[in-house]
Amino acid sequence: MTNNGVDLVFEGFDTTDELGDVRAEVPEGLPDMENDELIKSVLTKGVDLRQYSRKIEQELNDLEDEQLASYEEHEGALLELDSEIKSCDEVLENMERLLVNFKSSLGAINNDIQSLQTDSLSMSVKLKNRVVAEKQLDKIIQGVVVPPAAVRLICDGEVNERYLECLVEVNKRIAYMRVHSKQHKRLRAFQEIQPELDRLCYRASFKLREFLLDKINVLRSLNSNAHVLQSSIFLKYRFFNHFLIERHPEAAVEVRDSYIHIMRQYYLDHFETYQRGLMKLERVVADKVDVIGMEESNKLSLFGAAKPVPRDKANVFNLGARASSALFESEDSSPQAIVLSIASDANEKYTFEALFRSYSLALVDNATTEYEFIMQFFVSPKARQRITGSDMARMVFSHIFDPSMRVGEQFLKTYLETTYDALGVLLCVRIMSQLASELQRRQVPVLDSYVNSMNMLLWPRFQAILDGHIESAKRLASYKAKSKIDIQPPAIVRRYAELASSLLRLNQGYDTHVVALSLARLRTEVQAYLTHIADGSSDKHASLVYLINSYDLLLTVLYENGFSEREEEVSSWKQEFATTVMAFAESELEKHFGYLKLFVVDAERQSDIAQISADELGRTASVFNGEWRAQISAINSSIVQSFSNFRTGTEILHVVLGQLIIYYTRFHSLYDKRIARRAASASEICQPVGVQTVMVDIKKYRRGVN
């Protein structure tokens, strides 16, 4: 076998031993043969390569013959297959041409679609711009065009609800023109319509002015009900006045001034008539001599004879039901003013505070209604004014109601010049406080000056009246006291107690310093008067009884009016009462058990118990043993005779007997200590009655009190 021009002969050689050399002689161009498994097997087994190559060559020839025979055998099928393949190639070629043509058509369609899309976007933008332009144009047209029917109605029609509707539409056009005049000043429509709208506005203002002035003139009649007209006509057509305020201020001012002039006189006439009618219903409560220091002997008639004080004047110092008839009992109550015709027919009379409350209530109710009307009718939220709407309402209200408020001030001044009724004046103060709260709740700030002016009139007069009461008490205290005293409380005590209770009731919830200070001054003068009368008496026992009865009456009246010791007025008098009762107890013990009291006081002063005389100790015990029951009974009888109030008398008796037990217990203590030093001679000294025995007997006098 020849390979690459080299003749390889392997006969006579041991190929096994020469494997490494043969491998070395493999051409470099056949590197992969070294890895072939068949070659590896041949080389490993040491096969003769010449013989093996001839074998391989033979096998290849045989295989070639086999393939040629097979090809000849299947020649028809292969030719048929070749024909089918060519046919398929033709079909595929046709398909390729169709697909190419289709691709070209799709490209053309795509270009058409892109063109249509571009046109569609352009048309959409144009449509959107047209819609926006149409809307703006429609808005402008709607804003400036007034229907001919509306123009005819505004110029020649009757002023009614239909006129109101048309005027609202015209006002919208005018407002639109005013807002957008600068923006659309180049538009011809704006230039042409503006003068026409001005003329239409002027014509409407003229008709509205005439309409409103005619309606306002109806209010001149006293028989007209202004509030009904306000709600049924003026508020219904308030847009007419707002139109004038916004479009024709001169006409609006004329309408406003006309309304102010007529309503000022309207309210003035009504309130003057009402005030005169109320004055006829007044019932006088107090006059100049009705002070707490008044003496019946000092109230003389025209001919100098003593004139008794009328006993039907229960309301001079006692509040009674006056508060319920003058003040508002609760926030939920709806107080009513006095109706003159009904009160006159019933021949009823009222205290001034009830009349003042009725007048003020009528003023507040009318002022509230008028202020709310002014805010709705004369204040336009769209008007361009130099002052705010609330200030405008205040100005209009002030022009209308100032005369009526002055009538109320004069009404009060006339009363204050002649009154001496402190409770009535303070009730008027409380009425003004409640009305001020009501005005605040209603959010009506226009009567603040009225409330302040009323308070400035009331408080000085209240202070002057209380000063008169204080001076009357001082005047009584300046008189010379009688040596013989009447143990019953004087008239000034009950008057003061009722007046103080009434003032405290009216000061509850207010805690006014002026009232508390005046009451403290009055209390000081009454106390000074009572002390002056008691000190002037020669009978100390009667003086103490007089003071206790007076204090007891004061406290009884205060307690009956619902006041407790938390009130300074009650605690002050309670302290005076307790101090005087203790002094009375000492006085009674001095009178009935003076020897016992004197012995105990002197004995306790001794530094050594041995210094106490045993004989004196025995005599004291002997005297006490013999008369203690009789003396206790005498004390009880004296207290019953001195104090008409059973409960007070029993309370005082307990204090006296309690002091007796204290002194007697101290005596027993001294006795036990002294006798302990002389135990051998204890039988020579009188044995005192036991403390428990005395206490058991004293308990009999406590059964009358719960």
Side-chain angles (χ1 to χ4, degrees):
M1 181 177 180
T2 301
N3 188 13
N4 295 330
V6 180
D7 190 13
L8 298 178
V9 178
F10 295 98
E11 290 183 356
F13 292 92
D14 188 356
T15 59
T16 303
D17 295 333
E18 298 295 332
L19 180 61
D21 297 333
V22 175
R23 291 177 179 173
E25 295 177 359
V26 177
E28 293 180 1
L30 300 173
D32 293 337
M33 292 183 180
E34 189 177 351
N35 296 327
D36 187 88
E37 293 296 330
L38 182 60
I39 295 174
K40 281 184 179 181
S41 176
V42 171
L43 293 177
T44 302
K45 293 178 180 181
V47 178
D48 186 359
L49 294 179
R50 293 178 182 275
Q51 184 180 355
Y52 186 75
S53 66
R54 287 191 293 267
K55 181 182 177 182
I56 293 301
E57 185 176 359
Q58 182 63 38
E59 289 178 357
L60 288 173
N61 292 331
D62 293 341
L63 181 62
E64 182 180 359
D65 293 339
E66 258 180 48
Q67 290 298 322
L68 289 173
S70 176
Y71 179 77
E72 291 175 357
E73 183 182 357
H74 296 87
E75 181 180 5
L78 291 173
L79 291 174
E80 185 180 356
L81 177 62
D82 181 63
S83 177
E84 290 178 356
I85 290 174
K86 290 179 178 179
S87 178
C88 287
D89 288 341
E90 292 177 359
V91 172
L92 291 175
E93 186 177 357
N94 292 332
M95 288 294 295
E96 182 181 5
R97 286 196 299 270
L98 290 174
L99 290 175
V100 170
N101 293 334
F102 183 69
K103 181 179 179 181
S104 300
S105 299
L106 286 178
I109 293 173
N110 184 44
N111 293 333
D112 293 341
I113 291 174
Q114 290 180 354
S115 177
L116 290 174
Q117 185 177 7
T118 303
D119 294 342
S120 177
L121 291 174
S122 176
M123 293 175 65
S124 177
V125 171
K126 291 179 180 180
L127 177 61
K128 185 177 180 180
N129 292 336
R130 285 177 180 271
V131 171
V132 172
E134 183 180 356
K135 287 183 178 179
Q136 293 181 353
L137 185 60
D138 181 68
K139 186 176 180 180
I140 294 174
I141 293 174
Q142 293 294 331
V144 300
V145 175
V146 181
V151 174
R152 287 193 296 269
L153 182 61
I154 292 295
C155 294
D156 303 322
E158 181 182 356
V159 179
N160 51 25
E161 295 182 7
R162 177 60 183 160
Y163 193 94
L164 175 61
E165 296 174 0
C166 293
L167 187 64
V168 170
E169 295 300 323
V170 171
N171 190 58
K172 290 180 181 178
R173 272 57 171 184
I174 298 174
Y176 184 86
M177 291 286 293
R178 174 175 293 178
V179 172
H180 299 86
S181 58
K182 293 183 179 180
Q183 182 182 358
H184 305 300
K185 61 182 180 180
R186 296 181 179 180
L187 293 179
R188 184 176 178 182
F190 271 69
Q191 298 173 2
E192 292 180 353
I193 199 67
Q194 185 64 56
E196 300 300 329
L197 281 177
D198 292 341
R199 284 192 289 269
L200 188 62
C201 177
Y202 181 80
R203 178 60 181 171
S205 300
F206 175 78
K207 291 181 69 66
L208 294 180
R209 170 186 169 278
E210 295 297 323
F211 174 80
L212 292 175
L213 290 177
D214 289 341
K215 297 301 180 183
I216 290 173
N217 286 329
V218 177
L219 298 172
R220 292 182 181 275
S221 174
L222 281 176
N223 297 326
S224 62
N225 191 324
H227 297 162
V228 173
L229 292 175
Q230 286 174 348
S231 59
S232 62
I233 296 178
F234 291 102
L235 290 181
K236 180 180 179 181
Y237 296 112
R238 61 179 176 271
F239 180 76
F240 291 163
N241 195 50
H242 292 177
F243 183 86
L244 291 179
I245 295 173
E246 297 169 14
R247 310 302 175 202
H248 205 298
E250 295 80 5
V253 170
E254 185 179 357
V255 170
R256 185 188 67 200
D257 292 344
S258 178
Y259 178 84
I260 290 174
H261 175 73
I262 293 176
M263 289 304 295
R264 178 173 57 209
Q265 192 63 41
Y266 173 87
Y267 281 117
L268 179 60
D269 293 341
H270 279 80
F271 277 109
E272 283 182 341
T273 302
Y274 190 61
Q275 181 258 340
R276 287 192 296 268
L278 289 176
M279 292 183 67
K280 297 178 182 179
L281 303 177
E282 183 181 2
R283 182 178 73 247
V284 178
V285 175
D287 53 27
K288 188 174 183 178
V289 298
D290 288 318
V291 290
I292 63 170
M294 172 187 61
E295 291 293 335
E296 294 187 8
S297 59
N298 292 338
K299 194 167 186 179
L300 302 179
S301 66
L302 179 63
F303 299 101
K307 179 181 177 182
V309 178
R311 294 302 175 186
D312 58 345
K313 285 193 175 183
N315 291 330
V316 176
F317 307 106
N318 187 11
L319 187 62
R322 293 174 68 179
S324 60
S325 63
L327 300 179
F328 307 148
E329 293 299 321
S330 66
E331 294 183 358
D332 298 331
S333 61
S334 54
Q336 300 294 329
I338 296 173
V339 181
L340 295 179
S341 58
I342 297 176
S344 299
D345 294 341
N347 198 23
E348 295 181 355
K349 296 294 182 180
Y350 301 89
T351 54
F352 178 80
E353 65 269 11
L355 304 178
F356 179 72
R357 167 184 174 273
S358 184
Y359 183 89
S360 298
L361 186 61
L363 183 67
V364 167
D365 288 343
N366 282 275
T368 301
T369 303
E370 188 64 28
Y371 179 73
E372 292 175 351
F373 170 77
I374 292 171
M375 285 295 294
Q376 296 180 62
F377 190 76
F378 288 104
V379 177
S380 174
K382 299 180 181 179
R384 299 179 180 179
Q385 297 176 335
R386 289 176 294 178
I387 61 176
T388 62
S390 59
D391 291 339
M392 172 62 71
R394 286 173 179 268
M395 182 192 71
V396 175
F397 180 88
S398 177
H399 286 316
I400 294 175
F401 260 85
D402 276 352
S404 299
M405 289 190 287
R406 285 195 293 270
V407 171
E409 293 176 5
Q410 187 59 42
F411 182 35
L412 181 62
K413 284 181 181 179
T414 303
Y415 165 74
L416 294 178
E417 288 173 357
T418 58
T419 188
Y420 294 89
D421 181 15
L423 299 182
V425 175
L426 188 56
L427 279 169
C428 291
V429 172
R430 299 309 178 216
I431 289 170
M432 294 311 303
S433 298
Q434 291 187 346
L435 288 179
S437 300
E438 179 64 17
L439 288 169
Q440 186 175 6
R441 186 186 68 83
R442 297 181 184 183
Q443 298 182 349
V444 178
V446 289
L447 286 181
D448 293 345
S449 60
Y450 174 76
V451 174
N452 294 334
S453 63
M454 290 300 192
N455 286 327
M456 291 178 65
L457 293 174
L458 288 166
W459 279 116
R461 185 55 186 167
F462 172 78
Q463 188 65 62
I465 295 174
L466 281 187
D467 288 344
H469 288 294
I470 294 171
E471 291 300 323
S472 68
K474 284 184 179 180
R475 188 167 53 253
L476 285 180
S478 65
Y479 297 156
K480 184 178 180 181
K482 299 178 181 179
S483 59
K484 186 177 181 181
I485 191 173
D486 184 1
I487 63 174
Q488 296 303 318
I492 188 177
V493 173
R494 175 167 288 278
R495 294 173 191 150
Y496 167 77
E498 292 179 348
L499 179 61
S501 299
S502 301
L503 293 177
L504 287 174
R505 281 179 59 189
L506 293 178
N507 204 35
Q508 284 180 327
Y510 298 94
D511 299 328
T512 307
H513 180 68
V514 174
V515 177
L517 182 61
S518 298
L519 197 55
R521 291 174 55 209
L522 188 58
R523 180 174 65 246
T524 301
E525 296 304 328
V526 171
Q527 176 63 49
Y529 167 74
L530 295 177
T531 304
H532 170 71
I533 297 299
D535 292 344
S537 174
S538 58
D539 188 349
K540 182 179 180 181
H541 173 80
S543 298
L544 293 173
V545 173
Y546 165 79
L547 289 175
I548 291 173
N549 282 332
S550 298
Y551 298 152
D552 179 56
L553 177 59
L554 281 169
L555 291 171
T556 299
V557 174
L558 291 171
Y559 287 144
E560 287 176 351
N561 282 274
F563 300 107
S564 63
E565 294 184 14
R566 288 178 296 181
E567 293 286 344
E568 182 182 358
E569 187 71 19
V570 178
S571 61
S572 177
W573 289 115
K574 185 68 176 179
Q575 183 178 358
E576 294 291 339
F577 176 80
T579 303
T580 308
V581 167
M582 186 58 67
F584 177 81
E586 296 292 337
S587 175
E588 285 296 294
L589 292 179
E590 183 74 28
K591 179 179 178 182
H592 296 280
F593 294 96
Y595 61 92
L596 176 66
K597 179 181 176 183
L598 180 62
F599 177 81
V600 170
V601 172
D602 291 341
E604 289 179 345
R605 290 175 181 172
Q606 302 297 328
S607 59
D608 187 3
I609 194 68
Q611 297 178 358
I612 300 177
S613 172
D615 296 336
E616 186 68 22
L617 187 66
R619 284 194 297 270
T620 302
S622 177
V623 173
F624 184 84
N625 291 347
E627 62 181 22
W628 67 275
R629 282 191 174 89
Q631 293 298 335
I632 289 176
S633 178
I635 290 174
N636 180 57
S637 299
S638 174
I639 290 175
V640 170
Q641 293 175 3
S642 300
F643 304 103
S644 57
N645 189 324
F646 175 75
R647 181 177 292 275
T648 302
T650 305
E651 180 183 349
I652 295 172
L653 177 62
H654 291 170
V655 174
V656 175
L657 297 181
Q659 285 296 105
L660 173 62
I661 290 297
I662 292 173
Y663 279 114
Y664 192 60
T665 301
R666 290 159 62 186
F667 173 76
H668 246 280
S669 177
L670 293 171
Y671 180 87
D672 293 340
K673 292 177 182 179
R674 182 67 180 85
I675 297 305
R677 296 286 188 93
R678 299 180 55 185
S681 58
S683 59
E684 300 176 2
I685 301 176
C686 179
Q687 181 74 22
V689 179
V691 176
Q692 293 297 326
T693 302
V694 177
M695 292 181 65
V696 169
D697 205 70
I698 285 176
K699 287 182 180 179
K700 298 176 183 178
Y701 297 96
R702 296 184 177 180
R703 296 174 183 174
V705 177
N706 296 330

